[in-house]
Amino acid sequence: MSVTPDGTSDLTRRTLLRRAAAAGLLATPAAGLLSACVGGGEDEPTDQAEGEKSATNPLGVDGKAPLEIYIFNGGLGTKYATDVHVPSYKKSFPEAEVKFNQAEEMATVLQPRFTSNEPPDMVNNAGSKLMDQGALVQAGQVQDLTELFDAPSLDIPGKTVKDTLVPGTIEQGSFNGKPYVLNYAFTVFGLWYSDKLFQTNGWAPPKTWSEFTALLDKAKAAGKTGYAYAGANAAYYQYLVILTTAAKIGGPDVLKNIDNLEDGAWTAEPVKQAAQMWGEIGAKYMNKAHLGLQHTEVQLQQNQDKVVFYPSGSWLENEQAKDTPAGFNYAVVPVPSATSSDKLPQTAIYAAAGEMYFVAAKGKNPRGGMEYLRHMLSKEGAKGFTQLTKVLTVVQGATEGLTISPGLTSSEAMLKAAGSDYFAYRWDTWYKKMDDECRAATNELMFNGGDANKFVTRMQKVADDVKKDPSIEKFKR
């Protein structure tokens, strides 16, 4: 069955606001509460920088206007910004001051600035403490990127920016049909392992569930933790894997129904069956001490050959570069088939444009912010990003001529084998309340003897609560 990417990857958000109240979307009491979270309201910026549009300046950037950017300092690092994208922007606008900032807790650092309507111009909203993207959109804090995607590519003649992108990219950053977010890193998700460890032990990557559990038994007998993730901040890695299994069992509409808050979407049999299977993995093969660890701590154990499989996205190799021993050779395999009657093949994977970047609608230089994204989406900008991060981008053909790492090579091979059978979801970005609850429910299922019935019932309740809450704007795909 062919599936196109129509979801999104990762991660943690905040809560809503005053402009929605002014538009009649929120009840008045809620509006006061929400305005304290993300700002908004009737105040429209009147002093935004703007220049003359031309063939070389299609977005009308003021070449002398300062540009402030914030980049998340996580698994991808920040060198791609300081060494590739900022210099590219400066080459086009040498008189512009580009103020570069980095942070690890984006919400902590930036929420106050959005609340006071004094945001930076472009933000990489990522990490375990990122801002509530849906709330920011609802608050009118995020720039519509239609003009960016319609602009000509910086260095690919005869094509607009949108012509150069992997199909599904724009849709993935859209909210009710309008593009507000650039999901830049094309990430593939699966079970990561050391190719050297497998070669040494004569193990083959599992394709079926029985092969998977048999290999976990071998790992256990060898004194290793067969499967692990970090409960302190990486539960979304695990619920992603649970939902990947659910999609394989029941098809991609299982995830679309969850996104669209359809009645009974979480209690559907494929989700319940997937939760049951993964709950058994947690009970039998996981180390309960990992509940209190951070992701890098568990990832380090894998680099030390104490952990066999680790669920993650393709940023993992770069994130662990300084701790990965020579010859470790990261590799990745799809989540195994669950049953012989799965609706999607074993090669099907969760793969999607991720790592959100957006322009602040109330910033001083939104045109400069969009232009900065245009430089990111140039072929050279994308190639430089991949060279420094070992992660693909949404720019087609940007890896041509590159010598790529073992993990990225494995990722590309897995993506090629998947063909059009890749999928994603978007509810985690749209509804922070559901994301928070799913992390907690997942940890309970995997570490604390939780059961599938409790997991799906708990998630159905929070989904129903979100659906009934008039203060939360609903999104559909």
Side-chain angles (χ1 to χ4, degrees), residues 207-265:
K207 294 183 177 181
T208 66
W209 202 261
S210 61
E211 291 174 353
F212 181 45
T213 55
L215 186 50
L216 295 183
D217 285 331
K218 291 178 182 178
K220 191 173 184 179
K224 302 180 186 298
T225 300
Y227 182 84
Y229 77 93
N233 68 338
Y236 66 90
Y237 298 177
Q238 180 56 36
Y239 76 58
L240 185 153
V241 174
I242 294 170
L243 292 179
T244 294
T245 296
K248 287 195 171 188
I249 295 170
D253 280 351
V254 169
L255 305 184
K256 186 176 182 180
N257 291 339
I258 290 175
D259 280 350
N260 291 342
L261 302 176
E262 298 289 351
D263 292 342

Side-chain angles (χ1 to χ4, degrees), residues 214-468:
L215 186 50
L216 295 183
D217 285 331
K218 291 178 182 178
K220 191 173 184 179
K224 302 180 186 298
T225 300
Y227 182 84
Y229 77 93
N233 68 338
Y236 66 90
Y237 298 177
Q238 180 56 36
Y239 76 58
L240 185 153
V241 174
I242 294 170
L243 292 179
T244 294
T245 296
K248 287 195 171 188
I249 295 170
D253 280 351
V254 169
L255 305 184
K256 186 176 182 180
N257 291 339
I258 290 175
D259 280 350
N260 291 342
L261 302 176
E262 298 289 351
D263 292 342
W266 281 97
T267 53
E269 187 57 34
V271 183
K272 183 178 176 181
Q273 187 175 348
Q276 177 68 33
M277 297 174 76
W278 281 105
E280 291 171 359
I281 297 296
K284 188 172 180 180
Y285 300 108
M286 286 177 56
N287 183 343
K288 301 303 184 285
H290 290 164
L291 175 60
L293 297 188
Q294 298 288 322
H295 64 298
T296 50
E297 295 175 300
V298 179
Q299 290 164 194
L300 177 60
Q301 290 187 22
Q302 185 181 40
N303 294 146
Q304 297 167 342
D305 284 344
K306 296 175 182 177
V307 165
V308 178
F309 285 115
Y310 185 81
S312 187
S314 45
W315 63 79
L316 177 64
E317 184 180 35
N318 187 66
E319 187 167 57
Q320 290 303 110
K322 65 180 178 60
D323 294 315
T324 305
F328 180 89
N329 289 356
Y330 269 110
V332 63
V333 64
V335 173
S337 293
T339 73
S340 59
S341 57
D342 285 358
K343 289 191 176 179
L344 290 178
Q346 175 267 333
T347 51
I349 57 173
Y350 185 111
E355 196 74 11
M356 297 186 291
Y357 297 77
F358 74 92
V359 175
K362 297 178 185 295
K364 291 183 172 61
N365 191 5
R367 294 200 166 273
M370 286 193 290
E371 178 68 15
Y372 185 89
L373 296 183
R374 192 167 79 104
H375 283 254
M376 288 177 63
L377 291 169
S378 67
K379 195 166 186 177
E380 286 304 307
K383 183 180 291 187
F385 176 90
T386 297
Q387 286 176 312
L388 289 172
T389 65
K390 303 180 180 68
V391 173
L392 299 170
T393 71
V394 294
V395 180
Q396 299 182 72
T399 59
E400 292 172 2
L402 288 183
T403 300
I404 57 178
S405 61
L408 183 51
T409 300
S410 183
S411 297
E412 284 201 300
M414 188 172 72
L415 183 61
K416 183 177 181 180
S420 59
D421 288 315
Y422 61 101
F423 50 84
Y425 50 74
R426 292 153 79 175
W427 61 270
D428 62 323
T429 303
W430 290 346
Y431 309 116
K432 181 183 188 299
K433 185 175 182 179
M434 286 173 61
D435 178 52
D436 288 344
E437 188 73 2
C438 200
R439 291 173 188 235
T442 298
N443 278 346
E444 181 182 38
L445 174 70
M446 299 299 292
F447 287 108
N448 295 329
D451 62 63
N453 277 325
K454 186 171 184 181
F455 175 84
V456 299
T457 301
R458 183 174 178 178
M459 287 311 303
Q460 189 60 59
K461 182 181 184 304
V462 70
D464 291 343
D465 289 346
V466 167
K467 186 175 183 177
K468 294 172 186 175

